[in-house]
Amino acid sequence: MGDVVLRPPGDKSISHRALLFAALARGVSEITNLLPSEDLRSTGRVLRQLGVEVSPIQAGRAVRVHGRGPRLRPPSGTLHCGNSGTTARLLLGVLAAQPFSARVTGDSSLRRRPMRRVTVPLASMGARFPRGDERLPLEVRGGRLVPLDYASPVASGQVKSAIMLAALTGRVPVRIAEPFRSRDHSERLLEALGLDVGADNGAIVLVPDDVPPFQFTIPGDASSAAFLVAAALLAKNQTRLVLRDVGVNPTRSGFLQVLRRMGARVARQRRRVVQGEPIADLIVDASPLRGTVIRASEIPSLVDEVPVLAVLAARAEGTTVFHRVGELRVKESDRLGLLAANLGRL
């Protein structure tokens, strides 16, 4: 059989960040291949409530964002983030320096998810959460911020991005250290746009400045690609899968390194960089797999792919061990418990 050629949808994490940075720019940005999901529509909706003009988020259409700069408009009502944890946590960073109060909430699932990992550093910068900072709904009272040198207890791209967004809107420098390297889409895009983003003994340092308007074609989503890669690896025929324009950022594509250890035949072609993000075509052939050990330091780069890797591990020869995956118990569902239960039924 011939090759099967597919393009994954736009990367969700990068799509959120592109919308938020475009909102803080002064001028019009244009984003193509933005993921047209409910989570991204939640981000678009709350930005419109804050006075940012965002064109409709629809499949196959470029999204135009008329940025307002770092100062946004007080919302007329509650900012509802739907089921999107990324929207909620990054929005708290945007609101931390605004000269007004805002109320942030989400659906019943999102209201159960922890927020202190973001609210604690934001409070250290000067944001206030007068009615508690554990979970949504939260009231955020923004104001004048102070610089922050923060050692995060968790490796989280959302925590890091929230602090960087607060730095941009509050015009204060920040330094963020993590126990392991987390996804770095924010710093890659800001650096590509000419902002002062650097490293200091493994920590990220941002000296804020104006965000310029930009054009960006979002890379294909690595997490979506992982399911297609898994299906191709388990295929019984000789079909080769070609996935075009996939984001292969090393802080997001750890599953590819794990698959290589498991014996998977996955090659990269047409490597290139767009707005700081590495992109490639993935060429996948069916492969016999063997078990492996996935270290705690690898988890931040593949946490969303643990479910599909667990499915592949069930079809591999030998035992596969995942270390430090407790984060999966506090996602939209208890992903870890549901994985164990459903694989057990098989």
Side-chain angles (χ1 to χ4, degrees):
M1 298 179 67
D3 293 353
V4 174
V5 181
L6 299 172
R7 278 184 169 81
D11 186 283
K12 184 169 76 167
S13 294
I14 301 174
S15 292
H16 281 295
R17 288 158 174 79
L19 277 181
L20 289 162
F21 289 134
L24 301 181
R26 296 186 185 276
V28 181
S29 298
E30 185 169 281
I31 307 166
T32 55
N33 201 40
L34 190 110
L35 181 68
S37 71
E38 286 303 315
D39 282 7
L40 266 300
R41 292 191 176 101
S42 291
T43 295
R45 181 178 60 250
V46 298
L47 287 176
R48 293 184 193 102
Q49 287 182 261
L50 293 166
V52 180
E53 185 180 334
V54 181
S55 67
I57 298 174
Q58 299 175 353
R61 290 184 59 177
V63 176
R64 291 172 63 84
V65 181
H66 295 251
R68 292 178 58 93
R71 286 290 171 262
L72 304 181
R73 185 183 69 195
S76 58
T78 297
L79 298 168
H80 201 296
C81 300
N83 187 239
S84 178
T86 305
T87 303
R89 293 186 179 118
L90 271 56
L91 179 63
L92 295 176
V94 171
L95 295 172
Q98 302 300 327
F100 53 76
S101 295
R103 188 173 186 269
V104 180
T105 192
D107 67 11
S108 60
S109 171
L110 185 55
R111 291 197 300 271
R112 293 193 297 268
R113 297 177 66 180
M115 293 292 151
R116 271 184 61 81
R117 61 183 57 179
V118 169
T119 58
V120 166
L122 295 180
S124 298
M125 296 178 76
R128 290 175 292 160
F129 303 90
R131 298 180 184 178
D133 62 357
E134 293 279 351
R135 288 179 171 80
L136 300 181
L138 290 175
E139 181 186 349
V140 189
R141 291 184 184 176
R144 186 180 297 275
L145 302 185
V146 297
L148 180 69
D149 187 345
Y150 187 62
S152 177
V154 295
S156 168
Q158 292 180 355
V159 172
K160 184 168 55 177
S161 294
I163 294 171
M164 296 174 81
L165 285 162
L168 291 172
T169 54
R171 293 302 178 123
V172 293
V174 292
R175 180 180 184 275
I176 310 146
E178 301 178 288
F180 304 115
R181 186 183 180 194
S182 68
R183 57 185 63 179
D184 60 359
H185 302 306
S186 293
E187 48 266 50
R188 282 178 179 269
L189 179 55
L190 290 175
E191 185 176 16
L193 295 177
L195 276 78
D196 186 356
V197 183
D200 176 23
N201 291 323
I204 294 298
V205 178
L206 169 63
V207 179
D209 202 344
D210 289 338
V211 178
F214 55 88
Q215 293 185 328
F216 193 5
T217 297
I218 305 294
D221 188 84
S223 298
S224 297
F227 292 91
L228 300 169
V229 169
L233 291 174
L234 298 178
K236 297 298 184 183
N237 56 37
Q238 298 303 309
T239 299
R240 168 173 287 184
L241 175 65
V242 179
L243 293 175
R244 299 287 191 203
D245 305 326
V246 180
V248 291
N249 183 318
T251 67
R252 282 289 301 289
S253 57
F255 75 96
L256 292 174
Q257 280 65 52
V258 170
L259 290 178
R260 185 175 297 115
R261 295 204 300 268
M262 296 177 76
R265 292 187 293 165
V266 182
R268 305 184 193 193
Q269 294 181 357
R270 291 205 313 136
R271 300 187 188 203
R272 56 215 183 274
V273 176
V274 176
Q275 292 289 33
E277 288 290 340
I279 300 170
D281 294 350
L282 300 182
I283 315 300
V284 190
D285 291 289
S287 311
L289 301 176
R290 57 182 177 269
T292 190
V293 175
I294 300 169
R295 302 180 298 274
S297 59
E298 295 180 283
I299 297 301
S301 70
L302 53 76
V303 65
D304 290 332
E305 289 73 56
V306 168
V308 72
L309 286 172
V311 171
L312 289 174
R315 297 287 299 275
E317 288 291 332
T319 301
T320 297
V321 180
F322 296 84
H323 287 285
R324 296 281 297 272
V325 288
E327 172 74 11
L328 294 175
R329 290 193 177 277
V330 291
K331 293 288 188 178
E332 295 86 349
S333 61
D334 178 0
R335 296 183 189 177
L336 208 58
L338 291 169
L339 268 173
N342 285 294
L343 287 175
R345 291 189 180 101
L346 297 173

